[in-house]
Amino acid sequence: MSIRGKAYIVGAFEHPTRLAPDKSIAQLHAEVARGALEDAGLTKADVDGYFCAGDAPGMGPLSMVDYLGLRVKHIDSTDIGGSSYIAHVAHAAQAIAAGRCNVALITLAGRPRSEGSSGTQPRPQANGVPDASYELPYGLATANGYAMCAMRHMHEFGTTSEQLAWIKVAASHHAQHNPHAMLREVVTVEEVLASPVISDPLHRMDCCVVSDGGGALIVARPEIARSLKRPGVKILGAGEAIKGQLGGDVDLTFSATRWSGPAAFEEAGVKPSDIRYASVYDSFTITVLMQLEDLGFCAKGEGGKFVADGNLISGVGKLAFNTDGGGLCNNHPANRGGITKVIEAVRQLRGEAHPKVQVPNLSLALATGIGGQLGSRHGAATLIMERD
């Protein structure tokens, strides 16, 4: 079922906190839900569909629907890591197109900063994961798994640490205009390279921040969207995919975005050259570079040259990215923070981004994300939106 034009994003809200030791995760979910509903001009009585992932406390929607006081007829708790909430927008559009619901609420929240988590600890064994026992003895952690991909990309294509650093530099240029961003200071390539190595070749500034917070989105039927006073953001196309070990045919230089991106472009009826703004999941700088290649903004192996020299800075380069500062500088409220990518894309399409980073006369935007372990198994989701 095509979702092109079948649903609209009518509400978006990002929690302003970056540290919430006095709030529960459920409370953060409730606060972002209220913010998105107020942004849309709707109430919780209008909501008949609810979407969340593994960051939701208890048993996900079973707990949160009760906590939020919702009466819904459709729920979805798909969890594909950081790409979950990008996929949820597409799933909400599918549910609306199928008549399963009319107004879908999507919420994310997390407290990793208050809880002291980071990407440097080995991940706990998941019961039933068939190949976990082959990775656990080697202490695979998020940071070194992504660093392994960066090192392989450098070996295969000559990508440099200086080129990766330009991604952080671009994010910092945008974050300086975001009063809520954790890191607002503009940095240079030299400063990125001078920061401590976390997992070779990734430096500390190649890694995303760890923050508390969250975000929420409201997706609605077209006729409901047109009855509201907020600018409409039409969902044009979406794609999602999984990349695993592929039976031992391992290639660390590409992500599952190689499949989710083309699917989204095909459904939307547009091509990469039509996109002037992209929200790209940035857990690490290498995550951005590989996704840009896999989306077709440049050829495989050419990502280093594409991101260099400020090409991702709004108003300077060919493609503006993460104009809120992204995960590298603004926030990363949970291990499934892709919802913030959609929120900033909505701001851009509405013309509500900061004036210093707003892309003029923007009609199309893309949000894409990776969830899981880039060097092992992960999901990807891509969403293309249009200003109505």
Side-chain angles (χ1 to χ4, degrees):
M1 176 191 296
S2 174
I3 61 172
R4 180 184 171 93
K6 300 291 180 62
Y8 285 66
I9 300 172
V10 299
F13 180 80
E14 179 184 343
H15 206 293
T17 191
R18 301 295 180 263
L19 181 63
D22 59 336
K23 296 179 185 290
S24 69
I25 293 177
Q27 185 177 353
L28 291 170
H29 273 275
E31 290 176 2
V32 296
R34 180 178 61 190
L37 286 167
E38 290 176 351
D39 180 65
L42 296 168
T43 72
K44 68 177 185 179
D46 297 306
V47 174
D48 58 357
Y50 178 68
F51 296 71
C52 66
D55 57 281
M59 297 184 70
L62 182 62
S63 301
M64 290 308 303
V65 166
D66 186 36
Y67 182 84
L68 296 172
L70 302 175
R71 292 182 63 86
V72 299
K73 57 185 182 181
H74 185 79
I75 58 173
D76 188 325
S77 57
T78 299
D79 193 345
I80 46 175
S83 53
S84 300
Y85 285 90
I86 298 171
H88 282 172
V89 176
H91 292 187
Q94 291 168 348
I96 289 169
R100 304 295 298 174
C101 61
N102 297 301
V103 175
L105 168 64
I106 306 169
T107 67
L108 166 138
R111 298 174 65 253
R113 186 179 178 191
S114 291
E115 295 167 0
S117 64
S118 73
T120 56
Q121 303 102 337
R123 291 189 169 186
Q125 181 172 2
N127 291 331
V129 177
D131 44 0
S133 59
Y134 297 97
E135 295 176 354
L136 288 172
Y138 302 98
L140 181 66
T142 303
N144 60 33
Y146 280 71
M148 181 169 61
C149 295
M151 187 68 81
R152 188 65 193 181
H153 204 281
M154 290 176 172
H155 173 77
E156 291 283 348
F157 306 116
T159 307
T160 67
S161 292
E162 289 81 2
Q163 291 170 334
L164 288 178
W166 272 107
I167 299 171
K168 172 71 171 191
V169 170
S172 74
H173 274 268
H174 299 151
Q176 67 177 313
H177 305 297
N178 182 351
H180 301 302
M182 285 185 65
L183 305 177
R184 297 187 64 193
E185 183 178 350
V186 176
V187 299
T188 65
V189 168
E190 291 72 24
E191 288 171 327
V192 177
L193 299 181
S195 64
V197 173
I198 299 299
S199 184
D200 192 22
L202 298 179
H203 298 75
R204 183 171 63 196
M205 290 193 188
D206 286 300
C207 308
C208 71
V209 300
V210 177
S211 76
D212 299 344
L217 295 162
I218 307 292
V219 183
R221 299 180 65 84
E223 54 269 31
I224 295 175
R226 297 186 187 108
S227 72
L228 302 173
K229 296 180 180 180
R230 304 296 281 129
V233 174
K234 184 189 300 183
I235 298 169
L236 283 189
E240 55 193 82
I242 299 290
K243 182 189 176 191
Q245 294 296 299
L246 302 176
D249 185 18
V250 177
D251 184 342
L252 297 176
T253 66
F254 76 92
S255 73
T257 312
R258 170 180 286 189
W259 302 306
S260 69
F265 281 116
E266 181 179 4
E267 184 172 39
V270 300
K271 52 188 182 299
S273 59
D274 296 320
I275 305 295
R276 294 188 294 128
Y277 173 76
S279 286
V280 185
Y281 197 74
D282 52 346
S283 48
F284 300 88
T285 51
I286 186 62
T287 321
V288 176
L289 186 147
M290 285 175 56
Q291 287 176 96
L292 290 173
E293 292 179 340
D294 295 333
L295 288 165
F297 286 108
C298 60
K300 179 56 63 178
E302 296 296 317
K305 296 177 182 177
F306 183 82
V307 303
D309 302 319
N311 195 44
L312 299 181
I313 300 175
S314 183
V316 176
K318 297 178 182 178
L319 179 70
F321 105 118
N322 296 8
T323 45
D324 60 342
L328 289 170
C329 294
N330 176 25
N331 70 337
H332 192 269
N335 290 330
R336 300 160 184 84
I339 200 168
T340 59
K341 304 303 168 230
V342 182
I343 291 170
E344 183 64 9
V346 169
R347 291 193 193 110
Q348 279 284 348
L349 289 170
R350 287 175 168 179
E352 296 173 354
H354 191 283
K356 293 288 188 180
V357 298
Q358 176 67 53
V359 178
N361 304 313
L362 187 68
S363 59
L364 294 170
L366 176 146
T368 196
I370 291 291
Q373 177 54 267
L374 187 64
S376 181
R377 66 201 62 76
H378 62 271
T382 304
L383 184 71
I384 298 174
M385 296 149 281
E386 180 181 43
R387 185 184 69 239
D388 192 31

